[in-house]
Amino acid sequence: MAEHIGIVGAGYVGLTSAACFARLGHRVTCVDADESKVDALGRGEVAIAEPRLAELVAQGLGDGTLTFTDAQAELYGADLVFLCLPTPPAEDGRPDLGVLEHVLPQLGRLLRPGCVVVTKSTVPVGTAARIPGLLGRDDLPVVANPEFLREGHAVDDFLHPDRVVVGTDPPGSPAGHRVARLYEPTGAPVVATDSASAELAKYASNAFLAVKLSYVNVLAELCERFGADVREVARTMGLDARIGPEFLAPGPGWGGSCLPKDTSALLHAAESAGVEFGILRDAVRVNARQRARVVRAVRQAVTGSPAGSLAGTRIGLLGLAFKAGTGDLRDSPALAVAADLARAGAELAAHDPAVSAVPGLDAVQVVDDPYLVAKDAAALVVLTEWPEFRDLDWARLAASAARAVVVDTRNLLDPGAVAGFTHVGVGTQPRRQS
């Protein structure tokens, strides 16, 4: 049965949810306070670099199933309203619910009785229980329905999810069933649980991935000391069904819009509950150390010493986004490494297929031609795992560089295919390719 769905917030999660719900046959009204964003979306202009998203927005606009507005009043007739609002970390690490707390009283004065209010934003445990008070209403059922969208795969993750989590108090309420029915076309298993468990499940999932990434980064360091290859070790581990191959690739650290803020939020929640979450705290500490390890590797590659000076040294960076498939620079480990290299006095040129500028980091000259980053460079550093970097003409890069060495922080490249370069990976041994 088609529903009238309201989406509050046209950011990454809200826009993806709006476009995908329209694709599933529902009538969707997406509200955002940014009038210029609303106008652009109404013309089908999508600023987010996400595969298929612009296509689905255009389809919804053309079918008349998707509309964008800055007028909350247009949510009055909605059957369900999804809250897709930002919850950034405050200075102490806890999520800042200021936007949510501002919007909810407005919705409470607007929505018709029986409208289901759904939290899709990542929110602290206990938020669903607070929402009726913030709405000033007890006739609006509340459902926790956290999102599990990966940037670069958001549309596919929404339409083909691993699971759909629906939290209500008590579990299995009629409002929860209504939310679950929206996802029936996806065929995904539904976890019907209480709201606190649903809210905690989101944090627990992202924190576990962060721990797994930090684990493999420490393992990579151990491999370097013992002469082992972390790729072979991780491949062996990943064949164990209890472990799996995902998130076992070392790199310059984890970042993006979710893992850093969600680990911070979960640590704050654990501390406030009197629970010592040392394993997660150590994962965060390892992540900070990993970025410093990359800088030391660059110093070693350029000067022969992990403490050597980079002052005045030209270094080319391949990749700036926190991962391939997106132009998102939020908490990007690539930017953290670039900032440290700049503070060390290096002159930086960078190329990323999805990034044209780096606000706030003037020391990085962003170029649109990947071959320009090699010009007179003492080293190239691969910081984002864009597959197109494998297909570059490495002999041409070597001819342009002052010193043909590449520090591959993602183990993206085949050491045998980077003609003329010395390849320095993570958790591997340096290899010279003639």
Side-chain angles (χ1 to χ4, degrees):
M1 181 180 69
E3 302 268 22
H4 180 193
I5 297 174
I7 303 287
V8 183
Y12 189 85
V13 173
L15 184 57
T16 301
S17 300
C20 289
F21 275 136
R23 174 68 178 82
L24 293 175
H26 302 285
R27 182 162 63 93
V28 181
T29 302
C30 185
V31 177
D32 195 281
D34 187 334
E35 186 176 346
S36 61
K37 179 191 290 187
V38 167
D39 289 343
L41 289 171
R43 296 190 297 269
E45 298 173 6
V46 176
I48 298 172
E50 186 64 41
R52 293 186 61 201
L53 183 56
E55 171 191 335
L56 291 188
V57 168
Q59 180 180 327
L61 291 170
D63 294 343
T65 56
L66 177 60
T67 58
F68 296 96
T69 179
D70 61 354
Q72 280 191 11
E74 296 195 27
L75 295 176
Y76 171 73
D79 301 307
L80 306 97
V81 169
F82 284 75
L83 304 174
C84 303
L85 297 165
T87 55
E91 289 187 7
D92 62 359
R94 76 179 72 191
D96 182 352
L97 300 184
V99 176
L100 193 73
E101 292 170 345
H102 174 73
V103 167
L104 283 170
Q106 300 174 6
L107 292 176
R109 294 189 291 270
L110 171 66
L111 302 179
R112 66 182 184 182
C115 177
V116 180
V117 176
V118 188
T119 55
K120 193 160 270 296
S121 305
T122 303
V123 294
V125 179
T127 299
R130 293 181 55 213
I131 285 179
L134 293 167
L135 288 166
R137 302 267 298 272
D138 59 7
D139 60 346
L140 301 173
V142 177
V143 176
N145 175 224
E147 55 86 14
F148 296 93
L149 306 179
R150 299 168 297 162
E151 291 193 42
H153 303 271
V155 169
D156 188 60
D157 286 346
F158 193 101
L159 297 176
H160 307 283
D162 294 326
R163 76 288 204 197
V164 173
V165 180
V166 178
T168 59
D169 300 310
S173 72
H177 286 306
R178 288 186 67 186
V179 172
R181 276 201 305 269
L182 300 176
Y183 297 95
E184 282 183 353
T186 72
V190 175
V191 179
T193 185
D194 59 277
S195 60
S197 296
E199 291 164 340
L200 184 55
K202 172 59 187 289
Y203 286 113
S205 297
N206 277 352
F208 182 79
L209 296 177
V211 170
K212 197 173 181 182
L213 286 168
S214 285
Y215 178 89
V216 77
N217 277 335
V218 174
L219 195 61
E221 186 174 4
L222 198 61
C223 286
E224 291 170 10
R225 301 290 178 89
F226 288 155
D229 189 326
V230 72
R231 295 168 297 186
E232 295 304 308
V233 174
R235 182 163 67 95
T236 303
M237 292 172 60
L239 292 172
D240 188 326
R242 297 168 301 173
I243 298 173
E246 299 296 327
F247 284 76
L248 281 181
W254 39 267
S257 62
C258 292
L259 296 194
K261 78 175 182 67
D262 289 354
T263 52
S264 178
L266 189 55
L267 282 172
H268 185 274
E271 183 178 351
S272 65
V275 175
E276 174 53 40
F277 210 151
I279 190 170
L280 183 56
R281 198 174 302 278
D282 285 343
V284 173
R285 188 177 300 116
V286 165
N287 196 48
R289 190 180 76 198
Q290 186 67 8
R291 298 169 187 186
R293 273 200 354 107
V294 170
V295 174
R296 288 198 299 273
V298 174
R299 290 180 185 272
Q300 177 74 43
V302 172
T303 71
S305 167
S309 173
L310 296 176
T313 302
R314 183 174 173 83
I315 295 174
L317 309 179
L318 290 171
L320 293 168
F322 87 94
K323 71 172 188 176
T326 178
D328 198 342
L329 298 174
R330 287 175 291 180
D331 273 306
S332 170
L335 286 193
V337 170
D340 283 350
L341 292 172
R343 281 190 287 270
E347 298 175 1
L348 304 175
H351 171 76
D352 188 294
V355 177
S356 59
V358 182
L361 194 55
D362 295 337
V364 178
Q365 178 192 7
V366 181
V367 297
D368 59 7
D369 183 346
Y371 293 97
L372 291 178
V373 302
K375 182 174 173 55
D376 300 325
L380 299 184
V381 186
V382 177
L383 291 170
T384 309
E385 70 283 18
W386 288 100
E388 44 263 67
F389 292 158
R390 295 193 187 101
D391 299 327
L392 293 174
D393 184 340
W394 285 90
R396 177 181 169 188
L397 289 167
S400 183
R403 192 164 181 269
V405 59
V406 56
V407 179
D408 183 2
T409 73
R410 300 283 187 168
N411 289 343
L412 173 72
L413 308 172
D414 176 359
V418 287
F421 274 87
T422 296
H423 179 272
V424 180
V426 177
T428 66
Q429 307 307 306
R431 178 175 169 182
R432 169 71 181 177
Q433 177 65 24
S434 59

